[in-house]
Amino acid sequence: MSEKPEVWLRGPVEHIPALLQPVAHALLQAVEEADNTLKGFDDQYLWKKPAGMASVGFHLQHLTGVLDRLCTYARGEALNEEQLKALAAEGQFTLEYTSQMLLQKFREQVQRTLIQLQNTHEEDLLKARGVGRKQLPSTVQGLLFHAAEHTQRHIGQLLVTVKIASLV
């Protein structure tokens, strides 16, 4: 455990609009928790699915991919072919990656997301945005909030899966 307080108790994240501070705090907390959880993780368990649960590898890929996709929608853009291929590959066994490589990709996506937050104007938060092929209704704020919430949900699942996969 870190001796520092959780990220949200450390004050504002520089250059992030006030209404988006909770998103930034949640994402930065997620990175710290993933880093701490995966210290010393044995990659032989990366693709194990204990009790049929999603693998550690899936969670790491999904954390990166979902942030990328939700940020794309928040910008009012459609997913490109590369994003769709990445989505289809989430959770598929591969020796191409280690947990640390996937964790680094997640860190990099969080940094890109923080840059997007910095460039998001508070007056744009209620702008309508469509999600997915069906263009389901949301807003910039809804998408960014969901990015934080969904990230935290998968971090929780990742923490449990790391522990269980190492025991099985």
Side-chain angles (χ1 to χ4, degrees):
M1 275 320 265
S2 172
E3 292 190 26
K4 294 190 274 186
E6 289 191 359
V7 175
W8 69 279
L9 293 170
R10 296 181 205 161
V13 178
E14 195 172 357
H15 306 296
I16 303 292
L19 293 176
L20 295 174
Q21 286 291 320
V23 175
H25 288 141
L27 296 177
L28 292 169
Q29 185 70 42
V31 168
E32 286 186 13
E33 290 180 14
D35 282 343
N36 289 334
T37 299
L38 291 167
K39 282 184 184 155
F41 179 73
D42 187 338
D43 281 339
Q44 74 173 316
Y45 303 114
L46 185 60
W47 301 106
K48 299 284 184 204
K49 296 180 180 181
M53 296 179 356
S55 68
V56 170
F58 165 78
H59 287 297
L60 290 170
Q61 288 177 320
H62 188 66
L63 283 162
T64 301
V66 78
L67 271 180
D68 179 44
R69 293 186 293 275
L70 291 170
C71 284
T72 298
Y73 295 139
R75 291 190 304 271
E77 300 170 4
L79 300 184
N80 62 37
E81 189 175 325
E82 183 178 327
Q83 289 170 307
L84 293 172
K85 284 182 185 177
L87 174 60
E90 284 179 10
Q92 293 186 11
F93 175 83
T94 177
L95 294 175
E96 183 179 351
Y97 299 115
T98 66
S99 59
Q100 290 304 307
M101 291 167 70
L102 293 171
L103 183 57
Q104 182 59 32
K105 287 177 176 284
F106 174 56
R107 285 188 206 106
E108 291 167 0
Q109 182 58 52
V110 167
Q111 288 306 309
R112 286 190 294 276
T113 302
L114 291 173
I115 291 167
Q116 181 166 334
L117 295 179
Q118 290 174 11
N119 293 315
T120 300
H121 302 288
E122 288 184 351
E123 60 269 14
D124 293 335
L125 292 177
L126 297 180
K127 285 187 175 177
R129 293 291 187 256
V131 179
R133 291 184 179 121
K134 293 183 179 181
Q135 290 294 286
L136 298 173
S138 190
T139 62
V140 172
Q141 182 179 26
L143 284 156
L144 296 175
F145 175 82
H146 183 64
E149 175 271 326
H150 195 84
T151 297
Q152 283 293 310
R153 184 183 330 153
H154 278 278
I155 286 294
Q157 292 174 355
L158 173 72
L159 302 180
V160 171
T161 305
V162 165
K163 298 284 187 204
I164 293 173
S166 300
L167 295 174
V168 176

